[in-house]
Amino acid sequence: MRSRHLITPFTNHPRIGYFSMEIALAPDIPTYSGGLGVLAGDTLRSAADLRLPLVGVTLVSRMGYFRQALDSEGRQTEQPAAWDPARFCEPLEAKIVVKIAGRKVWIGGWLYVVQSHLGGRVPVILLDTDLPENDKADREITHFLYGGDQTYRLKQEIVLGIGGVRMLLALGLQIRNYHMNEGHSALLAMELMRRFDLFNRRRPHEPSYNLPGVRALCSFTTHTPVEAGHDQFDWTLVREVLEDYVELDELKKVAGEDRLNMTRLALNLSEYVNGVARRHAEVSQRMFPGYSVSAVTNGVHPRTWTAKSFAALYDRHLAGWCNEPMLLVRVDQIADEELWDAHTAAKAALVGRVKARCGVEFDPWLPIVGFARRMTAYKRPDLLFSNIERLRAIARSHPFQLVFAGKAHPRDTAGKQLIEDLHRHIRALDGVIRAAFVPDYDMATALDLVAGSDVWLNTPQRPLEASGTSGMKASLNGVPQLSVLDGWWVEGCIEGITGWAIGGDGEIENGGDAEQLYHKLGEVVLPLWYGERAKWVAVMKGSIGKNASYFNSHRMLRHYAIEAYLR
Ligand SMILES: *Cc1c(COP(=O)(O)O)cnc(C)c1O
């Protein structure tokens, strides 16, 4: 059988089951919405490079997240981003069944193989309910990433968690540890509870859930201190959709009495729990007293997030850097002119993209300040525009250009409003500051922006940015960050050496950030850019040598291997 042959090479030794609602597998596979999915993709890409035995599990999301269109006022409309799994994946013959809302739902799967340029391969299973056996409504469960209502979301999480475990076992994969990348997949722990019960029950009516046994198998990474990021479901809904899957009274003990709280479930059933930066682990520890929350600071995949010109530069001077990114500490070996030339090439690519996508002609001789990420309130994309007069004055003494990008979730009205606000500000600056908003932010746009900007801007509201990863991508391309001290920047910022801080390190010290931002940009960052080239290049080298060498997904995954997988 075809599918047997496909999966067989991956069944020879036990693997880590890495579960994530979204995974950014490739730029033209739209199965991700933002940082969480990109991180999952980078994790699996590093696993392939390092030949670590992981297997990814996610939903096929045939209609993708969405494609963003913007009118001249910045009003966002969403189009489905349908993709054809058959173009990128092999169909698996195995099918399993899960009962959802009283109906049997068949779940099939696709195999995508993450290929390292070094030869390593990591399998990813994309679960798919769009099968002829299924009821029409059930066929759509795996269509829309983060689409639909609470019921739809719960059904998706049943497919991911319960369906995922069953599929791995049906395929003959041996799983030594289950890693929940965010709480969306926490029902996998419930599936394990049930399995242990089925094996261990002595009397038919006495459940015997072996919770320590489940815990020993599970790890959980929490990704956000933002309340809306933690899924909760009413027990009435759970009863309707899941029925008597496990004893509800027993489930309530581990998932919350009031509602099914996916974060609680994951916390209670995981031996290892971590946040995605040191500061985020501290914040999470306070949110979840009674649990032990470790820290594994995020990282980005070196080869994926390095522009061509920089990859060529590193290949010439630091051979092996993308397999051992620690070699980037030796960046001082590279001559300033060569580094600047690589930057100039990356900047030309960005200038070209801005022209093609926005019709705006940037001047390659002026600095570009970049800001791109999901458009949502806590990221404060509008902080820079708190005082337009001040911004104009800065631009008059040190001209600069601005580039933005980012999607708002279709139901995030505040996020959508921010995109309109940015468009309004951009119009108001016309003639003083050249600025553009690049539509339909995705991995390809992200690479052009993080590599081609001169300064990467990040202004989240403390302490809500768990990590942030776009600034790490910038550092791989020698682009220093100007950022609020939150998330990874608390660890990554050495003032004037790797980039610059906006405001202090106080957790809720958000009030004076706009003032601090203007001060740093106008008095420190832009004057340095316009001053002696060598001094600017020294900061570029600081961001590469001190940050890119460390904040990469190779280091991150080795950290997970030692702390979580090999415990
Ligand atoms: C890296 C990336 C993100 C995450 O950016 P943050 O700075 O962490 O918010 C989001 N979307 C895309 C497409 C990315 O490449």
Side-chain angles (χ1 to χ4, degrees), residues 32-36 38 300 305 372-374 378-379 441-443 446-447 456 458 465 467-471 473:
Y32 62 96
S33 87
L36 181 71
V38 172
V300 296
W305 295 111
R373 43 187 59 84
R374 282 185 306 114
Y378 86 83
K379 303 232 184 207
Y441 188 45
D442 61 6
M443 281 177 85
L447 178 57
W456 195 248
N458 182 42
E465 188 57 275
S467 164
T469 50
S470 60
K473 299 169 192 167

Side-chain angles (χ1 to χ4, degrees), residues 435-493:
F437 193 109
V438 182
D440 205 28
Y441 188 45
D442 61 6
M443 281 177 85
T445 319
L447 178 57
D448 280 351
L449 263 74
V450 295
S453 297
D454 290 280
V455 178
W456 195 248
L457 182 66
N458 182 42
T459 52
Q461 183 186 333
R462 297 178 199 79
L464 299 181
E465 188 57 275
S467 164
T469 50
S470 60
M472 300 174 183
K473 299 169 192 167
S475 74
L476 268 168
N477 299 283
V479 175
Q481 186 171 241
L482 169 60
S483 168
V484 162
L485 283 172
D486 199 13
W488 80 282
W489 199 233
V490 177
E491 293 158 65
C493 180

Side-chain angles (χ1 to χ4, degrees), residues 345-355 362 368 403 438 448-449 452-453:
K347 192 164 173 177
L350 174 58
V351 170
R353 181 180 288 261
V354 169
K355 175 84 167 71
F362 273 8
I368 298 175
V403 62
V438 182
D448 280 351
L449 263 74
S453 297

Side-chain angles (χ1 to χ4, degrees), residues 364-558:
W365 300 100
L366 296 182
I368 298 175
V369 176
F371 181 107
R373 43 187 59 84
R374 282 185 306 114
M375 287 288 152
T376 192
Y378 86 83
K379 303 232 184 207
R380 297 195 297 184
D382 55 340
L383 189 77
L384 183 64
F385 301 101
S386 308
N387 183 342
I388 297 270
E389 269 323 303
R390 187 80 191 273
L391 197 60
R392 282 209 179 100
I394 292 171
R396 273 194 295 270
S397 55
H398 295 100
F400 64 95
Q401 311 166 94
L402 280 169
V403 62
F404 293 92
K407 296 175 180 175
H409 185 278
R411 279 193 307 274
D412 184 354
T413 41
K416 286 183 165 180
Q417 184 59 51
L418 282 166
I419 299 176
E420 289 184 47
D421 294 347
L422 290 184
H423 278 74
R424 196 161 36 79
H425 295 314
I426 288 172
R427 276 197 304 277
L429 290 170
D430 199 23
V432 188
I433 300 177
R434 252 174 278 191
F437 193 109
V438 182
D440 205 28
Y441 188 45
D442 61 6
M443 281 177 85
T445 319
L447 178 57
D448 280 351
L449 263 74
V450 295
S453 297
D454 290 280
V455 178
W456 195 248
L457 182 66
N458 182 42
T459 52
Q461 183 186 333
R462 297 178 199 79
L464 299 181
E465 188 57 275
S467 164
T469 50
S470 60
M472 300 174 183
K473 299 169 192 167
S475 74
L476 268 168
N477 299 283
V479 175
Q481 186 171 241
L482 169 60
S483 168
V484 162
L485 283 172
D486 199 13
W488 80 282
W489 199 233
V490 177
E491 293 158 65
C493 180
I494 307 173
E495 186 70 19
I497 307 274
T498 60
W500 306 269
I502 298 167
D505 189 14
E507 237 176 61
I508 41 170
E509 197 187 290
N510 291 307
D513 286 348
E515 184 53 40
Q516 284 287 325
L517 167 56
Y518 293 133
H519 165 70
K520 276 285 158 74
L521 187 65
E523 313 289 324
V524 180
V525 178
L526 292 171
L528 188 72
W529 193 92
Y530 276 100
E532 222 179 297
R533 170 77 39 83
K535 291 192 174 153
W536 181 263
V537 173
V539 184
M540 295 178 71
K541 286 184 173 176
S543 75
I544 297 166
K546 293 184 167 57
N547 282 351
S549 62
Y550 182 81
F551 297 98
N552 57 73
S553 50
H554 281 33
R555 187 267 314 149
M556 174 188 74
L557 187 58
R558 284 170 171 147

Side-chain angles (χ1 to χ4, degrees), residues 66-326:
F66 67 86
R67 210 161 278 135
Q68 177 193 54
L70 296 169
D71 69 9
S72 59
E73 311 276 300
R75 281 180 297 234
Q76 170 179 299
T77 45
E78 300 99 25
Q79 277 107 38
W83 69 289
D84 180 8
R87 268 188 61 208
F88 301 90
C89 312
E90 294 293 335
L92 292 167
E93 268 169 36
K95 278 180 199 166
I96 51 104
V97 72
V98 175
K99 210 165 136 214
I100 302 179
R103 274 199 301 270
K104 280 185 177 166
V105 178
W106 286 91
I107 303 172
W110 298 85
L111 175 68
Y112 179 89
V113 179
V114 178
Q115 283 275 5
S116 163
H117 66 290
L118 300 161
R121 287 153 52 85
V122 164
V124 182
I125 312 298
L126 295 95
L127 302 164
D128 191 357
T129 61
D130 196 348
L131 305 174
E133 297 83 323
N134 286 334
D135 198 88
K136 182 173 176 305
D138 297 334
R139 293 180 68 155
E140 292 183 2
I141 295 175
T142 54
H143 278 191
F144 299 96
L145 177 62
Y146 303 132
D149 57 8
Q150 282 283 95
T151 310
Y152 185 73
R153 174 70 74 92
L154 180 57
K155 290 179 178 175
Q156 288 194 323
E157 297 190 1
I158 291 170
V159 172
L160 178 63
I162 300 172
V165 170
R166 292 185 186 177
M167 182 58 86
L168 290 176
L169 299 178
L171 291 170
L173 288 155
Q174 311 160 57
I175 303 301
R176 50 182 290 173
N177 193 306
Y178 292 87
H179 187 169
M180 297 170 237
N181 188 46
E182 194 44 289
H184 307 121
S185 56
L187 294 177
L188 79 82
M190 194 184 67
E191 169 67 9
L192 297 178
M193 262 171 84
R194 199 176 100 112
R195 282 188 176 270
F196 276 113
D197 177 33
L198 295 180
F199 282 123
N200 296 336
R201 208 177 268 211
R202 296 226 172 77
R203 293 188 206 108
H205 299 295
E206 249 176 57
S208 150
Y209 301 118
N210 174 2
L211 298 186
V214 174
R215 253 180 233 124
L217 277 175
C218 293
S219 307
F220 170 48
T221 303
T222 178
H223 281 269
T224 179
V226 178
E227 202 48 54
H230 300 259
D231 281 334
Q232 301 202 26
F233 301 102
D234 286 333
W235 283 115
T236 33
L237 175 66
V238 175
R239 216 169 286 130
E240 247 170 65
V241 177
L242 261 182
E243 301 178 336
D244 53 355
Y245 184 79
V246 293
E247 303 267 327
L248 273 191
D249 289 339
E250 295 298 314
L251 187 56
K252 283 183 179 178
K253 286 184 198 157
V254 286
E257 290 291 331
D258 308 336
R259 311 225 277 160
L260 167 59
N261 181 325
M262 298 296 278
T263 303
R264 282 283 150 200
L265 181 60
L267 285 168
N268 280 323
L269 294 181
S270 298
E271 187 122 323
Y272 181 83
V273 175
N274 75 287
V276 290
R278 289 213 297 260
R279 172 57 49 83
H280 175 236
E282 291 161 20
V283 171
S284 304
Q285 183 68 76
R286 248 167 289 146
M287 285 173 77
F288 312 121
Y291 301 92
S292 163
V293 183
S294 307
V296 178
T297 303
N298 279 345
V300 296
H301 186 250
R303 218 171 123 89
T304 302
W305 295 111
T306 302
K308 275 203 200 85
S309 58
F310 273 90
L313 180 72
Y314 299 151
D315 282 342
R316 279 202 301 281
H317 295 281
L318 306 166
W321 66 280
C322 54
N323 195 33
E324 193 42 272
M326 212 182 280

